[in-house]
Amino acid sequence: SYLLYFCPLMEFKSSEVESKWRLFWEQNQIYKVSNNSSKQKYYVLDMFPYPSGSGLHVGHPLGYIASDIFSRYKRMQGFEVLHPMGFDSFGLPAEQYAIQTGIHPSLSTARNINRYREQLDNLGFSFDWSRQVSTSDPSFYKWTQWIFIQLFHHWYDQDRSQARPIDELIRIFDTQGNAGINAAHSPGPPFTASAWQNFSEKSKSDILMNYRLAYRKEAFVNWCEALGTVLANDEIKDGVSERGGHPVERKPMTQWFLRITAYAERLLNDLNTVDFSESMKIMQSNWIGRSTGAQLFFELHGFGKKLEIYTTRADTIFGASFMVLAPEHELVSKITTPAQQASISTYLQFVNTRSERDRMSEAKEVTGAFTGAFAINPFNGKKIPVWIAEYVLKDYGTGAIMAVPADDARDMAFAKKFDLPIIDIIDKSMYPGATIEDKLGRMINSEFLNGLEVPEAIELISGKIEAMGLGKKQINFKMRDANYSRQRYWGEPFPIVYNLDGVPQTLPLEELPLILPELDDFKPSANGKAPLSKLSSWVNLSNGFTRETDTMPGFAGSSWYFLRYMDPGNERELASPSAIEYWKDVDLYVGGTEHAVGHLLYSRFWHKFLYDLGYTFTPEPYKRLLNQGKIQGISESVFLQKEKENGSYIFVSKPLKQEDSEFITLHVPIEYIKDYGSTMPYLDKSGISQFLDFMPDYREALFRTEQGDFTSKELPADSKFYTHSELAKMSKSLYNVINPDAVVAEYGADCFRLFEMFLGPLEQSKPWDTRSIDGVGKFVRRFWSLFVQDSGIHCSAEQASAEELKILHKCIKRVTEDLERFSFNTCVSQFMITSNELKGLSCNKKEILEPLLRLLAPFAPFLTEELWHMMGNHQSIHLAGFPVVDNQYLIERIITYPICINGKKRGTADYPADADVPALEALTLNLDFVQKWLDGSVPKKVVVVPGKMINLVL
RNA sequence: GCCGAAGUGGCGGAACUGGUAGACGCGCUGGACUCAAAAUCCAGUAACAGCAAUGUUGUAGGGGUUCGAUUCCCCUCUUCGGUACCA
């Protein structure tokens, strides 16, 4: 034992080992990916991060670790694996930061990227960093601008279901006008070929705008005064901006839009061809929101005008007792009668003063006004009053509806409030559970529809509407065209100039990228114009033309970045055709659900557009999508009570807190807490003094503990002041962020990776459990000690026993299967089991340990690389093959069957694995304990489940 | 409100097509080593009853199918995620 003191055991020193192998991998370009490989390709993509100022916390790398494990696994299996990483570096936070601090976004972004890069490198990822992209890099956004130009120069042909060049559309206009064209377009008047030829250049440009896939239009936008910009619908939560929670109001502005609605049908249908989770597909299809219905015209009594509505329930037309227009509907001013003028104006004023926020928070409140006009029911000639109301939306359908109170809850509420007639038209008595909205029941009070079931009635009347020329069948989508303009600085400038008539023109490829100019003042102008508009030398060109001053939104760069990774240095194309041909699409995409409807839809749209133009070769960009859950934190807080008499403060230890008194809750930085993560975390005396340094306002406060009330100085040394734990997200404001760097420094990157996987299923959200990481740490040490003893590696060349081979191959089998179904947590469990089993056998045989090492390599790249080299290998383990299971070692010779009587286990018996069912039956009936139980009688049935169990039914 | 997912020990979670529920890890209890602590190792750990063998109850609650249900079907409750006047 004396000797042992002087002969230190060889330990696994993670920090030394990690830096050594990181350097080795870099010098030997282990993770360099080739575009000219003869191997089969596999593309594993992570959703690239926005490099925020606060760096990574332990939640961010979860998905990256999973994708890294999978990439390494595929690479070891012999695939050429593209596993790149980059940065989504344009966006609001950097700009907000710039406004506050004056530091230019490009500087803070570069700094943040470096920090992210460092943190990522710490975790041993196998990214090919030579392919890194950043969306704010001009060599990258050159192609973002280029794609926008392509969108501008294309229109969508519904008949061919394809984007086509705008020149072809002009040729069609020249020869036949716009009458016979089935294009995705904004509303506009019909015109003939000769009319087209006589239009001015300006008018032609305006008309073409209605067809372009990137177009300008005046629209109500979500204007956020506090942020000084318009926001997309998905940047608003509950009527306030998602970032900052500022109020949002509606404001008309001329904006760029992308005609994503042209692709709605394909975006919906092609969901069937991709491997996304069911809930993800449902989220997307709800967002697209396809509905089949009918366009229907109502004569307006005494105006010689027609009112166009959209309905999915044409069958209910005999129950239509009023019409409703959206307040912004263009006919409102034209049809309002003098008598109703006052009340309509009052209502319109009311609507205008209401922000989006008010509308949403009082969604159930019924408001509206009567225009004085009447529409004529085309089927029975009845006069129907026309109302306006907030609950009808301008942007959906035609912005006008026929209201059928008997069959629609909203119309019903409206009819009740304003005392309008309710005509019963569907008898639902035979469908007891059916709600008002269900398409079930039998028609009544509906003339020729009477007696029909609802679906039959819809069918019949739709046919009649078309035959009578009253309208036609129509498909509608909830999805709107994407607003593509931001009145912001830190984004891609539009490659657009306006001529003297204000007609937009695109820049030629030679002038791309249009570099975002330097600017000192990033604040938006008061009039809502973008910061770039202040830079007149940039805006105004020598020929009198002006530049577009808005910038592109956050989703621009992220809509196509995965293509750039294929060929990031290319200066002539977004990526070379041969590179795209080789990599094609993403085989596995890993990221959070929060991008379900935003990023994923936009990028699928762009990819389809590029597919139409022949730049990409698959209709969908992502074959398979895996959504990782979030890692939650635990926040710690203390209860503070203010004494009524003298205004002094007293902190109350959690167990002493009385339910009825009022408390202020203050969050405590988790690093001051003792027993963090246990059921009874507390502050000790030094923790309290740290906390008071952090919140000096309460320096004089008393602390109430079991031992009594004390000031912080008087506290007994052993006192425990208990705090309150809550599951919460990790956030700076709750002081509960856990930095991966600290965990890596303490436990090593391998342990960190294994632990994040071990926490639970990847797709599930789960709390970071600081304490149980020790278990994984123990595994790493035990695994190490399988290979290393005292002075070094101690593997023997001895032949492995059948038992040992079985343990190994069981592990290979389980881990391979679990990897294929992305069950990483059970992989780690299996490694622990196997390592314990081998430990129990004192197995140190190379024949077993070497394949086991390769099996673990994707999970623990540093540890396995170190051991691999200690065993005498000179090449990286990550270039070695992944072990293959040999089932011959797993064959069971004897199987222990549980023997049950009426489902209850009564004993066991060992039978040969290959025994057939009749033989098993016969052997079982002869068992002593079975005979005792049967006691002479014969069982009704013997159920034999080969390999599993035998059950006798008496 | 609607759509979706999920509810298993003190905790995170296993159980792949119905077949001995609670693998693996944390925590806890006891023991070994130690002057002592840490570390490490060994044993135990769903609940109830029992010295024990063992028995009974148990996968949110209720019902059903089955020889057998955490798994399949119906109803109810709870939690989380998405969405919100879409005609």
Side-chain angles (χ1 to χ4, degrees):
Chain A
S1 71
Y2 201 75
L3 253 177
L4 270 175
Y5 271 94
F6 294 98
C7 176
L9 296 179
M10 243 192 115
E11 272 179 59
F12 177 60
K13 295 211 179 61
S14 58
S15 59
E16 291 167 26
V17 166
E18 284 167 21
S19 47
K20 176 167 75 183
W21 295 118
R22 253 200 309 274
L23 193 68
F24 175 84
W25 294 335
E26 205 183 309
Q27 284 171 346
N28 293 279
Q29 305 221 338
I30 299 293
Y31 304 126
K32 182 102 178 138
V33 183
S34 164
N35 278 0
N36 309 305
S37 171
S38 56
K39 293 183 196 167
Q40 216 184 323
K41 72 99 185 183
Y42 201 90
Y43 189 174
V44 181
L45 181 68
D46 290 296
M47 288 186 185
F48 63 166
Y50 175 82
S52 83
S54 38
L56 292 174
H57 68 62
V58 291
H60 293 113
L62 184 68
Y64 304 153
I65 294 171
S67 65
D68 189 62
I69 290 171
F70 203 75
S71 309
R72 288 175 181 276
Y73 160 66
K74 280 285 169 191
R75 198 176 294 125
M76 287 176 82
Q77 277 193 332
F79 288 85
E80 186 73 25
V81 177
L82 179 55
H83 185 219
M85 181 48 81
F87 299 95
D88 192 10
S89 43
F90 268 138
L92 269 175
E95 185 162 333
Q96 294 284 64
Y97 183 73
I99 291 171
Q100 283 161 23
T101 62
I103 295 171
H104 196 277
S106 61
L107 288 177
S108 61
T109 301
R111 202 172 55 201
N112 292 345
I113 287 178
N114 282 337
R115 169 127 172 76
Y116 267 64
R117 177 70 198 274
E118 251 171 57
Q119 287 188 298
L120 290 171
D121 280 341
N122 260 341
L123 300 174
F125 291 130
S126 60
F127 298 126
D128 178 356
W129 282 111
S130 71
R131 291 174 184 254
Q132 177 188 325
V133 302
S134 318
T135 52
S136 62
D137 186 335
S139 68
F140 180 90
Y141 68 67
K142 173 179 182 178
W143 299 103
T144 311
Q145 292 171 335
W146 178 83
I147 295 171
F148 174 80
I149 291 172
Q150 305 311 307
L151 285 161
F152 180 83
H153 287 302
H154 283 81
W155 62 289
Y156 196 82
D157 184 339
Q158 304 272 28
D159 289 337
R160 294 194 195 172
S161 292
Q162 200 187 22
R164 292 174 65 186
I166 209 86
D167 292 343
E168 293 181 19
L169 185 68
I170 294 172
R171 239 169 283 143
I172 296 170
F173 286 170
D174 267 330
T175 54
Q176 59 183 73
N178 71 348
I181 295 175
N182 187 9
H185 66 283
S186 318
F191 53 82
T192 61
S194 61
W196 169 258
Q197 287 155 18
N198 292 324
F199 285 145
S200 68
E201 282 308 306
K202 170 91 172 103
S203 308
K204 282 185 178 173
S205 157
D206 287 347
I207 286 167
L208 287 173
M209 265 303 171
N210 293 337
Y211 292 84
R212 296 182 191 276
L213 287 173
Y215 65 99
R216 257 156 72 87
K217 73 169 180 191
E218 171 140 304
F220 284 97
V221 295
N222 308 303
W223 170 255
C224 181
E225 187 67 41
L227 295 177
T229 188
V230 289
L231 299 171
N233 283 327
D234 35 301
E235 288 171 321
I236 303 169
K237 279 247 151 46
D238 304 323
V240 295
S241 65
E242 197 177 19
R243 157 163 292 281
H246 304 294
V248 178
E249 56 179 311
R250 287 153 55 75
K251 185 175 180 177
M253 278 180 109
T254 303
Q255 307 278 320
W256 284 98
F257 282 80
L258 297 188
R259 208 179 296 282
I260 187 172
T261 50
Y263 283 83
E265 193 85 52
R266 281 163 68 188
L267 288 170
L268 185 67
N269 291 340
D270 289 353
L271 281 175
N272 294 323
T273 68
V274 292
D275 189 357
F276 295 5
S277 71
E278 233 18 67
S279 61
M280 180 65 49
K281 289 184 182 182
I282 287 166
M283 263 187 245
Q284 289 206 19
S285 60
N286 284 348
W287 188 262
I288 296 168
R290 184 185 198 273
S291 72
T292 332
Q295 163 208 51
L296 187 52
F297 288 95
F298 282 68
E299 198 77 43
L300 282 166
H301 180 69
F303 284 96
K305 277 184 190 297
K306 285 189 173 175
L307 173 62
E308 183 187 353
I309 62 126
Y310 172 75
T311 179
T312 56
R313 295 298 304 275
D315 57 309
T316 62
I317 191 159
F318 293 102
S321 55
F322 57 103
M323 314 291 287
V324 187
L325 306 186
E328 304 90 350
H329 197 283
E330 51 175 17
L331 281 178
V332 172
S333 57
K334 293 171 188 155
I335 62 171
T336 303
T337 59
Q340 292 301 315
Q341 195 61 57
S343 76
I344 288 287
S345 306
T346 315
Y347 185 65
L348 288 178
Q349 227 165 10
F350 163 74
V351 171
N352 276 335
T353 57
R354 275 156 65 83
S355 65
E356 198 85 353
R357 183 186 199 169
D358 299 329
R359 275 199 180 196
M360 287 194 183
S361 57
E362 300 161 27
K364 294 289 162 268
E365 196 184 315
V366 181
T367 64
F370 179 44
T371 61
F374 288 87
I376 308 292
N377 184 330
F379 284 97
N380 61 11
K382 264 194 189 165
K383 279 171 74 180
I384 310 174
V386 181
W387 287 64
I388 63 171
E390 262 185 335
Y391 84 89
V392 173
L393 306 175
K394 173 77 180 78
D395 293 332
Y396 183 74
T398 61
I401 62 159
M402 65 174 194
V404 184
D407 203 53
D408 183 291
R410 293 155 303 168
D411 297 346
M412 173 72 95
F414 196 84
K416 280 186 174 158
K417 164 114 187 199
F418 294 103
D419 207 14
L420 292 155
I422 299 166
I423 308 162
D424 225 1
I425 35 133
I426 296 174
D427 175 14
K428 295 204 178 212
S429 55
M430 62 289 240
Y431 298 100
T435 65
I436 191 167
E437 315 279 349
D438 288 335
K439 293 181 182 175
L440 288 172
R442 208 172 280 276
M443 307 304 300
I444 52 172
N445 299 330
S446 297
E447 305 190 5
F448 57 87
L449 295 175
N450 282 341
L452 292 177
E453 288 283 327
V454 168
E456 300 167 345
I458 294 177
E459 198 51 42
L460 179 73
I461 197 150
S462 307
K464 238 181 160 109
I465 288 168
E466 292 207 9
M468 291 166 71
L470 297 170
K472 57 175 192 240
K473 282 186 198 170
Q474 196 174 306
I475 288 157
N476 255 337
F477 295 94
K478 273 201 248 181
M479 186 167 66
R480 307 291 143 77
D481 282 342
N483 185 302
Y484 201 64
S485 289
R486 295 293 182 274
Q487 290 68 47
R488 284 274 152 184
Y489 171 70
W490 192 233
E492 299 87 346
F494 280 85
I496 292 282
V497 294
Y498 298 97
N499 72 10
L500 299 172
D501 292 328
V503 173
Q505 297 171 355
T506 58
L507 296 181
L509 181 57
E510 308 85 73
E511 289 180 35
L512 297 185
L514 174 62
I515 306 260
L516 181 66
E518 289 290 323
L519 200 66
D520 298 326
D521 177 12
F522 315 107
K523 284 203 185 81
S525 320
N527 58 5
K529 281 209 159 185
L532 285 177
S533 63
K534 294 183 212 168
L535 206 64
S536 61
S537 61
W538 183 79
V539 174
N540 300 306
L541 305 181
S542 53
N543 56 3
F545 290 16
T546 55
R547 290 193 195 278
E548 170 66 63
T549 57
D550 284 353
T551 54
M552 299 187 193
F555 66 80
S558 62
S559 291
W560 75 281
Y561 73 109
F562 50 92
L563 293 171
R564 190 63 179 171
Y565 285 137
M566 296 174 180
D567 190 12
N570 199 318
E571 288 173 12
R572 286 167 295 114
E573 299 148 307
L574 78 154
S576 77
S578 68
I580 301 177
E581 177 96 64
Y582 178 62
W583 295 111
K584 282 199 176 68
D585 54 5
V586 174
D587 294 275
L588 177 66
Y589 196 17
V590 181
T593 13
E594 64 272 22
H595 300 106
V597 287
H599 160 65
L600 281 170
L601 270 179
Y602 296 130
S603 58
R604 290 180 60 220
F605 158 45
W606 281 39
H607 194 266
K608 284 178 187 303
F609 171 68
L610 292 171
Y611 175 72
D612 285 355
L613 271 55
Y615 292 108
T616 62
F617 303 102
T618 58
E620 283 288 328
Y622 317 116
K623 272 209 192 86
R624 180 163 194 177
L625 176 69
L626 195 61
N627 297 113
Q628 94 269 16
K630 294 193 184 80
I631 291 191
Q632 293 142 324
I634 299 168
S635 77
E636 294 292 341
S637 44
V638 289
F639 300 110
L640 177 67
Q641 196 173 11
K642 193 171 180 175
E643 293 289 346
K644 286 209 180 72
E645 306 87 60
N646 54 9
S648 66
Y649 290 104
I650 180 156
F651 286 98
V652 181
S653 182
K654 192 187 175 189
L656 305 174
K657 181 195 162 205
Q658 278 141 359
E659 280 306 322
D660 48 346
S661 28
E662 276 194 22
F663 291 95
I664 307 163
T665 339
L666 293 176
H667 292 287
V668 182
I670 52 166
E671 57 269 26
Y672 306 158
I673 304 277
K674 292 279 178 306
D675 279 358
Y676 177 66
S678 76
T679 46
M680 292 293 277
Y682 63 94
L683 286 165
D684 63 5
K685 192 169 179 175
S686 76
I688 284 176
S689 77
Q690 281 176 295
F691 175 64
L692 289 178
D693 290 343
F694 178 72
M695 291 202 160
D697 292 358
Y698 302 109
R699 207 173 278 285
E700 303 306 320
L702 289 177
F703 287 81
R704 178 165 294 162
T705 68
E706 270 91 344
Q707 293 143 297
D709 294 0
F710 303 98
T711 66
S712 64
K713 297 220 176 64
E714 299 163 354
L715 271 172
D718 62 339
S719 56
K720 291 182 175 180
F721 182 85
Y722 292 102
T723 56
H724 175 66
S725 313
E726 240 172 339
L727 205 60
K729 63 172 190 192
M730 278 195 193
S731 121
K732 259 183 165 174
S733 60
L734 299 177
Y735 317 114
N736 65 344
V737 173
I738 295 177
N739 187 325
D741 300 342
V743 182
V744 168
E746 191 174 347
Y747 292 92
D750 295 309
C751 181
F752 180 82
R753 291 164 62 105
L754 286 163
F755 179 62
E756 287 233 339
M757 292 300 101
F758 184 68
L759 272 176
L762 189 65
E763 272 143 305
Q764 215 167 286
S765 287
K766 55 237 157 188
W768 176 263
D769 181 356
T770 307
R771 310 183 113 205
S772 54
I773 192 169
D774 287 335
V776 180
K778 220 179 277 181
F779 161 73
V780 170
R781 281 196 297 277
R782 281 159 157 248
F783 189 85
W784 173 261
S785 70
L786 270 177
F787 294 76
V788 178
Q789 250 170 33
D790 301 347
S791 50
I793 213 95
H794 80 130
C795 292
S796 87
E798 231 180 304
Q799 223 179 12
S801 70
E803 194 184 1
E804 290 163 337
L805 282 164
K806 188 176 162 185
I807 290 170
L808 171 69
H809 284 272
K810 196 176 71 189
C811 186
I812 297 174
K813 185 168 193 241
R814 278 293 305 270
V815 169
T816 312
E817 282 171 2
D818 289 352
L819 273 173
E820 286 295 340
R821 60 188 180 104
F822 305 112
S823 179
F824 299 101
N825 55 332
T826 51
C827 287
V828 180
S829 292
Q830 187 57 47
F831 282 121
M832 291 176 173
I833 295 167
T834 304
S835 135
N836 281 341
E837 283 173 343
L838 292 176
K839 198 101 197 169
L841 294 175
S842 305
C843 171
N844 67 342
K845 293 168 186 162
K846 200 178 168 193
E847 193 184 343
I848 301 293
L849 294 183
E850 194 260 12
L852 186 64
L853 201 59
R854 283 185 283 130
L855 197 62
L856 185 66
F859 296 83
F862 296 108
L863 171 74
T864 51
E865 188 80 295
E866 173 77 3
L867 287 169
W868 182 252
H869 285 261
M870 283 170 74
M871 286 172 92
N873 299 292
H874 299 293
Q875 267 224 329
S876 170
I877 190 170
H878 303 295
L879 300 176
F882 198 74
V884 179
V885 64
D886 188 338
N887 281 311
Q888 69 159 316
Y889 300 114
L890 296 174
I891 291 171
E892 301 274 354
R893 307 278 167 223
I894 298 290
I895 296 174
T896 302
Y897 280 81
I899 312 289
C900 305
I901 292 167
N902 283 342
K904 297 250 152 61
K905 186 189 156 197
R906 295 297 178 189
T908 59
D910 292 339
Y911 296 132
D914 53 356
D916 59 11
V917 172
L920 288 169
E921 214 171 292
L923 286 166
T924 304
L925 288 173
N926 282 327
L927 288 171
D928 282 349
F929 74 88
V930 170
Q931 282 303 321
K932 207 169 78 192
W933 269 93
L934 290 176
D935 198 19
S937 62
V938 181
K940 267 192 259 164
K941 198 155 89 174
V942 181
V943 183
V944 178
V945 185
K948 300 280 186 184
M949 69 119 62
I950 296 166
N951 188 28
L952 307 167
V953 185
L954 298 186

